[in-house]
Structures are given as structure tokens and as C-alpha cells.
Amino acid sequence: MITRRQLIQTSAAGVLAPAIGSHMASAQGPSPQTWPTRFIKLVVPFTPGGGIDGIGRIVGARLSEMWGQQVVVENKPGAGGNIASEFVARSPPDGYTMYITAGDWRSTAISSARSTTTRLPISLR
């Protein structure tokens, strides 16, 4: 009998890891043979202990096993996800900072930013 925790781990890793891996392989930057050479930061825009945080930690553990490098989950809650999305957008485009959230990040970050401010702190182009 499979437990709920095992189901979540298998589902999250099975769905997200190949998508992330194929995206990283097709993106410009370091070749997949040399990447990753150091730890990867997985940014979660919610408080620790929540659903997305739990999924992020499960996915991070599986990615650590697959890639042979530590995946560190960093929680940056607040401002409807704007703090975390701005942090990721301002990080170097080297593939070592990733973002996980519920739903589409563009709709979440943009809709909350437009409702709270007239000017976004980052360029979305």
C-alpha cells in the first residue's frame, strides 16, 4: 500500500524533475555535462511548513539525488510573491536559482504587483 507522502513524493518528482531538467538542458548557459558545479537555490514564495514549501522540499531532495549537488530551499514570503519573484529575477542567469509556486508565476506575480503598486520593480520583458 502506498502512503500519501510516498504518492506526493513520486508525483512531484516524476512531474517536475524531467520538466526542469529538460528546460535546463535546452537553456543557454553552461553545458549539461558541467552543470551543476555548486548548490542550487530553490526559492519558495510562501512561509515554511505550507503545501508549496513541502512540495519544494520533496522536489529539492529528489533533484539533489539526480544532480549530485545540494538543492537548498529558501523561503521568501510576502507581498503576494513579489519578494521572491524579484529575488529570482535579479539573480544571475546561470541556472543556480529556481522558483517554485502554485499556479503560473506570471499571473500570480503580475496580478498581485499591479494591485499593490503602479510600477513593477523588475522588467517582465
Side-chain angles (χ1 to χ4, degrees), residues 107-125:
S107 63
T108 304
I110 294 170
S111 64
S112 61
R114 286 186 180 155
S115 66
T116 59
T117 183
T118 57
R119 185 169 173 207
L120 293 174
I122 56 173
S123 174
L124 299 172
R125 294 182 195 175

Side-chain angles (χ1 to χ4, degrees), residues 95-110:
Y96 288 97
T97 306
M98 298 188 304
Y99 186 78
I100 186 170
T101 188
D104 184 17
W105 72 271
R106 292 171 293 227
S107 63
T108 304
I110 294 170

Side-chain angles (χ1 to χ4, degrees), residues 3-81:
T3 65
R4 183 172 27 173
R5 182 172 295 206
Q6 290 170 329
L7 177 66
I8 291 171
Q9 287 176 341
T10 306
S11 300
V15 171
L16 296 177
I20 292 170
S22 65
H23 174 69
M24 292 308 299
S26 64
Q28 290 183 356
S31 67
Q33 293 80 17
T34 61
W35 186 90
T37 58
R38 60 183 174 89
F39 74 95
I40 295 103
K41 211 179 283 185
L42 182 61
V43 180
V44 178
F46 299 104
T47 56
I52 301 302
D53 178 59
I55 291 171
R57 291 180 190 281
I58 292 167
V59 170
R62 289 293 169 107
L63 292 176
S64 291
E65 292 172 9
M66 288 173 46
W67 292 335
Q69 289 291 335
Q70 184 68 33
V71 176
V72 178
V73 176
E74 187 169 330
N75 297 85
K76 292 198 171 286

